[in-house]
Amino acid sequence: MTTAAPANELRTEALDYFKPLPSTVPAVSDNPITPEKIDLGKALFFDPRMSASGVFSCNSCHNLATGGDDNLETSIGHGWQKGPRNAPTVLNSVFNHAQFWDGRAADLKTQAKGPVQAGVEMANTPANVVATLSSMPQYVEWFEASFPGEDDPVTFDNFAKAIEAYEATLITPAPFDAWLNGDDGALSEKQTAGLRLFMDSGCAACHSGVNIGGHDYYPFGLVEKPGAEILPEGDKGRFAVTETVDDEYVFRAAPLRNIAVTAPYFHSGKVWDLGTAVAIMAESQLGADLSDKEVGEIVAFLESLTGTMPAATLPVLPAETGSTPRPSGEVQ
Amino acid sequence: MTTAAPANELRTEALDYFKPLPSTVPAVSDNPITPEKIDLGKALFFDPRMSASGVFSCNSCHNLATGGDDNLETSIGHGWQKGPRNAPTVLNSVFNHAQFWDGRAADLKTQAKGPVQAGVEMANTPANVVATLSSMPQYVEWFEASFPGEDDPVTFDNFAKAIEAYEATLITPAPFDAWLNGDDGALSEKQTAGLRLFMDSGCAACHSGVNIGGHDYYPFGLVEKPGAEILPEGDKGRFAVTETVDDEYVFRAAPLRNIAVTAPYFHSGKVWDLGTAVAIMAESQLGADLSDKEVGEIVAFLESLTGTMPAATLPVLPAETGSTPRPSGEVQ
C-alpha cells in the first residue's frame, strides 16, 4: 500500500502523455474492416509475386518474425538496390498519424501503394499487380468476398485497402499498456524511473500518444545537429513533401513501440545501439547530456514497449496459372 | 458396388509403385526429433539473419506460403545473383532418398549447410552463423534445450540438425494419399484415368515411392534429349558429383508431390505449364507422344498430389544484441 500513491501519481501524469493500445482493431477511414478483407490482406502481405522479381513481399522488409522490420540500415530491394531510409515497423502502424518517415502518406492504404511501385523496392506497376491477381481464380474470389457488390473488385485501390485491413490487426500490447491500465507490477522500478525521466527530460513532448510518437513532425537536430553520418545532408525529410524551408530535416517523431527489437535506428539506420540512440536524441533534441545511468533507465522503459505479437499463421497462397505474368528480376 | 472391384484392382497395382505418407513425422538418422528442436529449427528456417546480407532466410526460396519453393526459374540470391538450378520444394523433402537435383547431399541436415554458404544464395560462413546465434541469449537457450547435455550446443552442425528436424514436419497429405488409404471418392474419374496412364505409360518407373520420385537417378533425355533451353549443356547434373561418364545429364527423378503448385519445372525452371512438362517428359524419357486428352488426365492425377499444408505460425525471433555481427550486402 505504501507505493500505491506514487504509482498512481506517475500514472496520472503518464496518461496526460500516453494512451494504452485499444483492445480491438481500430476502424480506419473509408475502409470497413471485415474478416474476409483481413485474410485477403494477409495473403497479399506475404505474397512475393506482388514484386516484379517475385522475390519481395511486404513481409520481406516488414518481417513479422523480427519486430515488423528488416534489421537493416536501409532495405535491399529490386536489383540489390538500397532504399533511401530505414524500414519502419509495420506493427501498430495503424496508430501513426501518417505513414513514412516524412508522413507523405496519409494512411496505410496510401502507404501500401508506395513500396510496390518503388524502383528500388518491389519495382512493380499497378497494372501488373492487377494482372497477376486477376490471373488466379482464388484471388479473384477473395477480392469478391472482401469487396462485395463491386463490379470489378480486383483493383490496385482494393489491393491497398486489404493490406491496410490486415495491417490494422498487427497490434502488440506491451507491459507499458498493462501498467497504464493499472497493473503496478507490469513495470520494474528501473522502468518506472525511466518513464519518469522520459517525461521530465522532455522526450515525451514529441514521443507521446498511443504509439509514443508517430503523430507529429519535428526537426532532427532541434538543439544540435548530429553528424552527417547519422543525418545525411542529402535527405531533407519532410521538405521534399511540403517544399517549405521550415521543414528542412523535419521528420515524423519515430513511434517507439517495439523500438528495442527494431534496431538499427533513425531514418538513416546508422545507429545499432538503443542507448546510443537515446543519448544522441537527448543531445540533439533537448541539449541534455544524460548519464549512463539515466540512459539505462530510459532504455529499460523503452523495453517495456516491446509487445506480444499476434499469432501470424502463414497464408496458403494460390498457385500461378498460365496467364500469370512471369517474374522479372531485370533492372530498368 | 459395381465400381469397387476396378478401384481395388487399380489400388493394388498403385500400391506396388507408391506409398501413402505416414501419419507421423519420420525418424531421421543421427538426429532425434524433439519439440524443442522443431521449434528451434523453425526459428532458424525463418531467420533472414542466417544470410550474410540479412535479406534471405531458408523460407525465401522454400516459401511455405507458395508450395515450399519460390516460383522462379532459378532463385535470386546474394547480390542479385541467380542460382544455377530451380529451387525444389522443401515440403515432404524428408522422404527424398537424397537432396538437391543431383543428390549430392545425403540428407536434409547436409543439405541445410549448402545454401547458407553458397556465394550466390545466402553467402554466409559457418563461423558467422555461429557468431550470430551465440550473440542472442534466447538462441543459446533454445540450442541448450534442443541439444541437452552438450557442452557447446551452438554449432553449425546443430544448426543444420535443427533445420532438418523442422523440415521433417513439413508433410502435406493429399487426396492421392486418401485414395491409396482406401477412400475411392478422393480421386475423380479423370484423376484415376490419369493414374492408370501414369503407370501404364511408364512414368511410375522413375516417379514412384512415397514422394512419387526423389529416390533414384536417371538421365534426362533417356530417349530423346530436350532442347538446350530446357536441358542446358553446361549443367551435367550428377556427373559433377560422381565424375562418371554414365552420369552425364543424370538427375534425381523429381519428387512430384505438390508439383501443380510449384511451377516452373525441371532443374532449369524453363517450363511453366505442367501439361507441357508432362508432354516433354513423355517424349524425352519414354518416346511417347501423348494426346492432349492423355496429358490432361495425367495433369489431373498430378493435381491429386497437392496436399494440405501444416499450419505454420511465424516464429518470434530474438532481437540482435550489441555483439551480433552486422549484415553485409557486399558481394565478394
Side-chain angles (χ1 to χ4, degrees):
Chain A
M1 292 298 287
T2 51
T3 59
N8 279 335
E9 215 172 273
L10 186 65
R11 181 174 294 115
T12 304
E13 196 179 333
L15 284 167
D16 276 346
Y17 286 110
F18 313 110
K19 273 179 70 176
L21 287 173
S23 57
T24 54
V25 172
V28 294
S29 74
D30 187 29
N31 188 17
I33 295 181
T34 62
E36 291 80 6
K37 213 184 273 179
I38 291 171
D39 284 350
L40 169 62
K42 183 164 89 166
L44 298 170
F45 186 86
F46 280 101
D47 198 330
R49 296 165 304 187
M50 299 303 101
S51 62
S53 66
V55 171
F56 302 109
S57 68
C58 303
N59 191 66
S60 298
C61 300
H62 303 287
N63 193 331
L64 301 187
T66 57
D69 75 342
D70 61 5
N71 315 294
L72 302 177
E73 288 186 7
T74 64
S75 303
I76 290 181
H78 192 85
W80 212 244
Q81 296 173 87
K82 277 193 150 188
R85 291 182 190 144
N86 181 259
T89 180
V90 65
L91 302 176
N92 310 295
S93 58
V94 66
F95 299 110
N96 294 332
H97 171 68
Q99 305 300 330
F100 294 117
W101 281 94
D102 54 16
R104 68 185 182 276
D107 51 29
L108 287 171
K109 62 178 137 325
T110 309
Q111 189 279 334
K113 293 179 178 177
V116 73
Q117 297 183 75
V120 302
E121 301 185 45
M122 296 166 81
N124 214 341
T125 62
N128 196 56
V129 167
V130 169
T132 300
L133 295 169
S134 302
S135 73
M136 295 181 260
Q138 176 72 81
Y139 260 126
V140 174
E141 275 176 40
W142 286 342
F143 271 89
E144 285 166 354
S146 301
F147 300 94
E150 295 193 16
D151 285 344
D152 180 22
V154 187
T155 65
F156 194 56
D157 277 350
N158 284 348
F159 156 88
K161 282 182 173 178
I163 291 175
E164 176 176 63
Y166 176 59
E167 291 179 338
T169 69
L170 301 175
I171 299 177
T172 64
F176 185 52
D177 295 292
W179 186 88
L180 284 175
N181 288 332
D183 179 359
D184 290 346
L187 296 194
S188 69
E189 220 166 288
K190 188 175 177 184
Q191 289 176 318
T192 51
L195 166 61
R196 167 97 275 153
L197 206 52
F198 191 84
M199 295 191 293
D200 288 354
S201 55
C203 311
C206 302
H207 297 281
S208 61
V210 70
N211 262 358
I212 306 99
H215 60 90
D216 212 343
Y217 306 95
Y218 304 94
F220 190 7
L222 190 59
V223 176
E224 191 175 322
K225 267 211 174 68
E229 154 98 350
I230 290 166
L231 182 64
E233 287 184 9
D235 184 353
K236 296 196 174 172
R238 199 162 160 74
F239 176 75
V241 182
T242 63
E243 295 188 352
T244 304
V245 176
D246 284 355
D247 280 340
E248 280 193 353
Y249 303 109
V250 163
F251 294 87
R252 195 191 57 181
L256 298 184
R257 286 187 181 271
N258 299 297
I259 194 74
V261 296
T262 52
Y265 302 112
F266 303 129
H267 62 284
S268 58
K270 287 293 182 189
V271 174
W272 284 83
D273 177 64
L274 185 51
T276 306
V278 167
I280 289 172
M281 275 278 108
E283 196 182 335
S284 66
Q285 304 304 99
L286 305 166
D289 187 15
L290 298 181
S291 71
D292 286 355
K293 179 169 173 287
E294 290 170 321
V295 167
E297 286 170 351
I298 290 179
V299 167
F301 163 62
L302 294 176
E303 285 169 349
S304 81
L305 302 174
T306 303
T308 303
M309 275 295 299
T313 311
L314 274 189
V316 174
L317 300 175
E320 301 89 354
T321 66
S323 60
T324 305
R326 301 295 169 227
S328 166
E330 266 178 57
V331 181
Q332 303 296 324
Chain B
M1 292 297 288
T2 50
T3 59
N8 278 336
E9 213 172 277
L10 185 65
R11 183 175 292 116
T12 305
E13 194 179 335
L15 284 168
D16 276 346
Y17 286 110
F18 313 110
K19 273 178 69 176
L21 287 172
S23 57
T24 54
V25 173
V28 294
S29 73
D30 188 30
N31 189 16
I33 295 181
T34 62
E36 291 80 5
K37 213 184 274 180
I38 292 169
D39 284 351
L40 169 60
K42 181 164 90 165
L44 298 170
F45 187 87
F46 281 100
D47 197 330
R49 296 165 305 186
M50 299 303 101
S51 62
S53 66
V55 171
F56 302 110
S57 68
C58 303
N59 191 65
S60 299
C61 300
H62 303 286
N63 193 332
L64 301 186
T66 57
D69 76 342
D70 62 5
N71 314 297
L72 302 177
E73 288 186 8
T74 63
S75 303
I76 290 180
H78 192 84
W80 213 245
Q81 297 173 86
K82 277 195 152 189
R85 292 182 188 144
N86 181 260
T89 179
V90 67
L91 302 175
N92 311 293
S93 58
V94 66
F95 298 111
N96 293 331
H97 170 69
Q99 305 300 329
F100 295 117
W101 281 95
D102 53 15
R104 68 186 183 276
D107 52 29
L108 287 170
K109 62 178 139 323
T110 309
Q111 190 279 336
K113 293 179 177 179
V116 73
Q117 297 183 75
V120 302
E121 300 186 44
M122 297 166 81
N124 213 340
T125 62
N128 197 56
V129 167
V130 169
T132 301
L133 295 168
S134 302
S135 73
M136 295 182 259
Q138 177 73 79
Y139 260 125
V140 175
E141 274 175 42
W142 286 341
F143 272 89
E144 285 166 353
S146 301
F147 300 94
E150 295 192 18
D151 284 346
D152 181 22
V154 188
T155 65
F156 194 56
D157 277 350
N158 284 347
F159 156 88
K161 283 182 173 177
I163 291 174
E164 175 176 63
Y166 176 59
E167 291 179 338
T169 69
L170 301 175
I171 298 178
T172 64
F176 185 53
D177 295 293
W179 186 88
L180 284 176
N181 288 332
D183 179 359
D184 290 346
L187 295 195
S188 71
E189 220 167 290
K190 188 173 179 186
Q191 289 177 319
T192 51
L195 167 60
R196 167 97 275 153
L197 205 51
F198 191 83
M199 296 191 292
D200 289 353
S201 55
C203 311
C206 302
H207 296 282
S208 61
V210 69
N211 261 358
I212 305 100
H215 61 92
D216 212 343
Y217 305 95
Y218 304 94
F220 190 5
L222 190 61
V223 176
E224 190 175 323
K225 268 212 172 67
E229 154 98 351
I230 290 166
L231 182 65
E233 286 183 9
D235 184 352
K236 296 198 175 173
R238 200 161 160 74
F239 176 74
V241 181
T242 64
E243 295 188 352
T244 303
V245 177
D246 283 357
D247 279 340
E248 280 194 354
Y249 303 109
V250 163
F251 294 88
R252 196 190 57 182
L256 298 184
R257 286 186 179 272
N258 299 297
I259 195 73
V261 295
T262 52
Y265 302 112
F266 303 127
H267 62 286
S268 58
K270 286 293 181 190
V271 174
W272 284 83
D273 177 62
L274 185 51
T276 306
V278 167
I280 289 172
M281 275 277 107
E283 196 181 334
S284 65
Q285 304 305 99
L286 305 166
D289 187 16
L290 299 180
S291 70
D292 286 354
K293 178 169 174 287
E294 289 170 319
V295 167
E297 286 170 349
I298 290 179
V299 166
F301 163 62
L302 294 175
E303 285 169 350
S304 81
L305 303 175
T306 302
T308 304
M309 273 296 298
T313 313
L314 272 190
V316 175
L317 300 175
E320 299 90 354
T321 65
S323 60
T324 305
R326 300 295 169 228
S328 166
E330 266 179 58
V331 180
Q332 302 298 324

